C-alpha cells in the first residue's frame, strides 16, 4: 500500500500487528497515544501517533509469544540489535519508504521495582510503570477500528485498548517530566474530552 500520509500508515500498522496477535491468542492491550488519538480527539484534535505500544499480559506463555514474534518477522517485521523489545516495519508513504516500530511492554507497578526487561526467548519486553491496573483491575476495553492494512486490504479490526483510567495510571507521572510534554498533553485530552468523565473520576478514586 502507498499510504497518503504518515498517520494512515501508522493506523495500518496498528491494524496489522493487533490482528496477528489476536489470531495467535496473545493476550495484550494497546496503550500509549492511540487512546487519545482514537477516542479523545474532539473538539481539540490530537496531533497523531506513529508507533504502537503493546502491553503483554504475563499469563502469555514464553513459547506462544516467541512463535507469534517469529510470525511477525515472516510477515515483514524486522528486529533491531539494540532494542530487542522493538520490531520495525517499513511502510510506503507517498512513494517514500518509512520505518515504523512496535514496542512490547509488560505490566509494572512503579519505577522503583525490578523486572525492567523480560526475556521471551529471542525477544524482550520492557516494563511500563503504572500499567499493572490495566490487567489487575480490568481497565481495558474492546474497540473496533477501520484500517487499510499494508497489503491494501480494508479491514475493521477489534482489539483491546486501555481505558481512560488505565491510561492515566500509565501516563500520569509523565506530566511532571519536562521532556515529556507530549504525554502531558495526552493526559489533558483524556481528562478534558473524556467519554465518561463520571466513571473516570470514580474509578480513579477507587484505585488510588
Amino acid at each position: 500500500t502507498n499510504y497518503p500520509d504518515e498517520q494512515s500508515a501508522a493506523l495500518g500498522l496498528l491494524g496489522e500487528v493487533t490482528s496477528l496477535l489476536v489470531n495467535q491468542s496473545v493476550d495484550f492491550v494497546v496503550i500509549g497515544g492511540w487512546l487519545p488519538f482514537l477516542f479523545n480527539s474532539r473538539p481539540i484534535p490530537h496531533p497523531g501517533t506513529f508507533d504502537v505500544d503493546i502491553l503483554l499480559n504475563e499469563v502469555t506463555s514464553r513459547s506462544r509469544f516467541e512463535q507469534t514474534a517469529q510470525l511477525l518477522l515472516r510477515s515483514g517485521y524486522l528486529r533491531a540489535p539494540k532494542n530487542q523489545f522493538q520490531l520495525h516495519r517499513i511502510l510506503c508513504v507517498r512513494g517514500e519508504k518509512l520505518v515504523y516500530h512496535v514496542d512490547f511492554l509488560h505490566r509494572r507497578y512503579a519505577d522503583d521495582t525490578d523486572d525492567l526487561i523480560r526475556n521471551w526467548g529471542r525477544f524482550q519486553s520492557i516494563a511500563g510503570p503504572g500499567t499493572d491496573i490495566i490487567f489487575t483491575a480490568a481497565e481495558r476495553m474492546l474497540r473496533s477500528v477501520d484500517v487499510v492494512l499494508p497489503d491494501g486490504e480494508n479491514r475493521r479490526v477489534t482489539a483491546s485498548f486501555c481505558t481512560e483510567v488505565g491510561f492515566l495510571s500509565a501516563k500520569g507521572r509523565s506530566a511532571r517530566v519536562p521532556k515529556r510534554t507530549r504525554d502531558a498533553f495526552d493526559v489533558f485530552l483524556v481528562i478534558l474530552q473524556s467519554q465518561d468523565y463520571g466513571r473516570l473520576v470514580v474509578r480513579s478514586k477507587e484505585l488510588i
Side-chain angles (χ1 to χ4, degrees):
T1 299
N2 186 14
Y3 287 101
D5 55 72
E6 289 83 355
Q7 189 60 68
S8 297
L11 197 59
L13 178 74
L14 172 71
E16 182 180 61
V17 71
T18 56
S19 294
L20 286 167
L21 292 171
V22 168
N23 290 341
Q24 295 300 307
S25 300
V26 173
D27 190 18
F28 70 94
V29 174
V30 178
I31 61 174
W34 286 104
L35 181 84
F37 174 76
L38 292 172
F39 310 119
N40 305 96
S41 287
R42 294 180 181 178
I44 301 174
H46 189 275
T49 186
F50 302 106
D51 59 347
V52 178
D53 293 334
I54 299 292
L55 182 69
L56 298 169
N57 194 337
E58 61 187 15
V59 302
T60 299
S61 70
R62 171 175 162 172
S63 61
R64 180 173 296 279
F65 178 71
E66 188 167 21
Q67 291 171 5
T68 302
Q70 293 289 357
L71 176 61
L72 287 166
L73 293 178
R74 294 195 297 270
S75 300
Y77 288 76
L78 302 170
R79 293 175 64 239
K82 182 179 179 181
N83 295 325
Q84 296 182 43
F85 55 87
Q86 290 183 334
L87 287 179
H88 301 270
R89 184 78 156 99
I90 298 174
L91 300 175
C92 185
V93 179
R94 296 187 297 272
E96 179 184 3
K97 292 181 179 180
L98 299 179
V99 179
Y100 290 77
H101 68 268
V102 178
D103 289 334
F104 291 101
L105 302 95
H106 56 270
R107 69 181 181 90
R108 191 184 191 192
Y109 174 66
D111 291 318
D112 58 356
T113 57
D114 294 329
D115 197 26
L116 176 63
I117 296 293
R118 180 170 295 175
N119 290 304
W120 304 78
R122 294 174 62 205
F123 307 92
Q124 294 179 337
S125 59
I126 190 168
T131 56
D132 59 311
I133 69 164
I134 293 173
F135 291 119
T136 61
E139 286 299 331
R140 59 193 299 186
M141 59 185 185
L142 283 177
R143 291 293 184 269
S144 297
V145 182
D146 294 321
V147 304
V148 179
L149 297 176
D151 65 4
E153 177 187 353
N154 290 278
R155 183 185 297 179
R156 171 164 290 185
V157 298
T158 300
S160 185
F161 292 81
C162 67
T163 64
E164 294 173 348
V165 175
F167 179 87
L168 293 186
S169 178
K171 291 289 189 179
R173 61 173 51 87
S174 299
R176 298 184 298 175
V177 181
K179 293 189 296 183
R180 302 300 296 272
T181 54
R182 171 60 178 279
D183 286 344
F185 181 68
D186 284 358
V187 168
F188 167 75
L189 286 184
V190 168
I191 295 173
L192 182 70
Q193 300 177 164
S194 170
Q195 293 192 346
D196 189 342
Y197 185 73
R199 181 190 187 278
L200 178 61
V201 172
V202 170
R203 282 293 284 162
S204 295
K205 288 181 177 179
E206 290 175 349
L207 295 168
I208 288 178

